[in-house]
């Protein structure tokens, strides 16, 4: 267990924030705003949650600039430009040490003599490493993982239990891959014929670049030819589906249960919210944001924000969404004018 205490003044210095209240108040852990106690730190990143600041017991609270004038009663406030980032820095101080993975090969693991293992590698129970696979220095292969023929995994990567990486796929340095992920399963390709559906060979690979994190039970299909490509620093949530020959640009975010159809290409910094979908063979430019449950059916330019199904711009979405209420108001005005005209005619 960590036994660390920090003063409000020290935290303010750490996160480059402005301290309001006592600099000497100390905390020993972090918690959510509703559950936090007097010796804990919490945060509020939006002014609409100001009421929680009035009821919380937290001793120190990181707040957004909109709450800079909030009363610091029985607590210290630290005003931050980016509250989420500041809170993450504080969490890192109090986080428990991650588990220590034993270096070496567990007796129950099956490692081909034709596989290459770097220095300090950890191969855990019941893992299988096929011939031609190369595992970089310091990489951890969790219990029950399957690493296929000729797979390459870079140094410092972490594969949690029961990850499957199929033959010839490539994973870069410092990747974090959570339980149940399948990388390199066949893309979904079939041709209808008079005799039935004929499978299209999926001959490509999946390439995952450095510093990528992939959430539990996500699937990334191998390419029909060439590669399905997840570029550096991409962060993928749980239960995401990435189809064959998809390209995901650097630092993009794919949130839970979204899906991307074959040969779609996403630019740098794209955000797909939960349960959104992207049609195949289209392009989303750099910085595109797609709202939750939206379905994108055509290419979008850089910086576009898309909502709804089929996805459309914010202006289009709001115009269509508010049309019924606007129509009701217009109808009411027309009815009022009709009555007024009738009354004028009757008075003549």
């Amino acid at each position: 267990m960590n036994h660390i205490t920090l003063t409000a003044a020290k935290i303010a210095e750490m996160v480059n924030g402005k301290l309001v209240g006592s600099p000497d108040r100390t905390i020993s852990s972090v918690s959510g705003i509703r559950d936090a106690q007097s010796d804990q730190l919490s945060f509020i990143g939006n002014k609409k949650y100001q009421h929680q600041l009035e009821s919380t017991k937290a001793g120190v609270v990181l707040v957004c600039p909109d709450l800079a004038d909030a009363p610091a009663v029985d607590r210290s406030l630290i005003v931050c430009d980016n509250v989420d980032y500041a809170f993450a820095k504080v969490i890192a101080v109090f986080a428990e040490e991650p588990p220590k993975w034993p270096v070496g090969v567990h007796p129950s693991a099956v490692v081909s003599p034709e596989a290459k293992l770097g220095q300090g590698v950890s191969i855990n129970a019941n893992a299988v490493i096929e011939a031609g696979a190369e595992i970089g220095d310091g990489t951890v292969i969790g219990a029950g993982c399957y690493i296929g023929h000729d797979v390459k995994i870079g140094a410092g990567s972490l594969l949690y239990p029961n990850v499957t990486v199929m033959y010839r796929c490539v994973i870069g340095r410092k990747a974090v891959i959570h339980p149940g992920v399948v990388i390199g399963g066949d893309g979904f390709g079939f041709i209808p014929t008079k005799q039935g559906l004929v499978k299209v060979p999926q001959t490509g690979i999946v390439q995952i670049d450095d510093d990528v994190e992939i959430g539990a039970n996500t699937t990334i299909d191998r390419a029909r030819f060439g590669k399905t490509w997840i570029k550096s620093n991409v962060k993928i949530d749980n239960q995401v589906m990435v189809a064959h020959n998809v390209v995901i640009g650097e630092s993009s975010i794919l949130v839970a249960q979204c899906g991307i159809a074959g040969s779609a290409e996403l630019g740098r910094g794209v955000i797909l919210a939960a349960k959104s979908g992207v049609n195949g063979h289209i392009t989303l430019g750099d910085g595109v944001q797609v709202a939750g449950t939206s379905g994108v059916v055509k290419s979008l330019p850089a910086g576009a924000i898309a909502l709804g199904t089929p996805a459309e711009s914010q202006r289009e979405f709001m115009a269509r969404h508010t049309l019924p209420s606007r129509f009701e108001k217009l109808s009411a005005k027309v009815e009022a004018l009709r009555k007024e005209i009738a009354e004028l005619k009757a008075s003549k």
Side-chain angles (χ1 to χ4, degrees), residues 32-303:
I33 194 70
R34 295 178 180 175
D35 301 324
Q37 301 300 311
S38 60
D39 63 342
Q40 293 181 307
L41 174 140
S42 193
F43 75 103
I44 296 178
N46 192 308
K47 190 174 183 179
K48 69 181 181 181
Y49 300 116
Q50 183 172 357
H51 64 282
Q52 294 181 342
L53 183 61
E54 298 167 0
S55 59
T56 185
K57 296 179 181 179
V60 179
V61 183
L62 306 178
V63 297
C64 57
D66 289 343
L67 293 175
D69 296 328
V73 179
D74 296 328
R75 68 184 59 87
S76 299
L77 304 181
I78 300 174
V79 183
C80 308
D81 291 332
N82 189 329
V83 175
D84 286 339
Y85 180 64
F87 191 58
K89 291 184 70 172
V90 179
I91 288 176
V93 174
F94 291 102
E96 297 292 331
E97 288 291 324
K100 300 295 184 182
W101 303 95
V103 174
V105 179
H106 191 276
S108 65
V110 178
V111 179
S112 168
E114 299 176 41
K116 297 180 180 178
L117 306 184
Q119 295 183 350
V121 164
S122 175
I123 309 295
N124 287 273
N126 298 316
V128 175
I129 314 294
E130 298 282 18
E134 298 180 14
I135 313 297
D137 294 348
T139 285
V140 174
I141 306 298
C145 286
Y146 175 82
I147 309 302
H149 296 79
D150 301 314
V151 165
K152 293 180 173 57
I153 301 177
S157 291
L158 170 57
L159 278 63
Y160 283 101
N162 298 317
V163 169
T164 297
V165 186
M166 297 298 289
Y167 57 94
R168 298 202 318 273
C169 292
V170 178
I171 298 174
R173 298 167 55 88
K174 298 181 180 178
V176 178
I177 304 177
H178 290 273
V181 170
V182 178
I183 297 170
D186 276 0
F188 191 70
F190 298 90
I191 299 174
T193 70
K194 293 180 180 180
Q195 290 74 37
L197 295 173
V198 176
K199 183 177 177 67
V200 177
Q202 306 292 300
T203 63
I205 66 166
V206 174
Q207 177 178 317
I208 296 173
D209 290 347
D210 298 344
D211 297 302
V212 170
E213 184 157 352
I214 303 173
N217 294 323
T218 284
T219 57
I220 303 175
D221 288 351
R222 72 173 52 251
R224 180 178 179 183
F225 48 81
K227 62 186 177 185
T228 303
W229 189 4
I230 313 298
K231 296 186 180 180
S232 63
N233 201 42
V234 168
K235 309 303 177 186
I236 301 177
D237 200 355
N238 301 335
Q239 296 183 339
V240 170
M241 167 63 198
V242 180
H244 56 192
N245 288 95
V246 166
V247 177
I248 309 294
E250 296 89 342
S251 302
S252 291
I253 297 174
L254 311 183
V255 185
Q257 297 184 355
C258 69
I260 308 170
S263 297
E265 183 168 350
L266 279 58
R268 181 184 181 92
V270 169
I271 299 175
L272 300 185
K275 294 188 177 180
S276 59
V278 177
N279 201 13
H281 300 273
I282 65 173
T283 300
L284 306 189
D286 294 349
V288 164
Q289 298 180 42
V290 179
T293 72
S294 299
V296 184
V297 298
K298 60 183 180 179
S299 295
L300 297 174

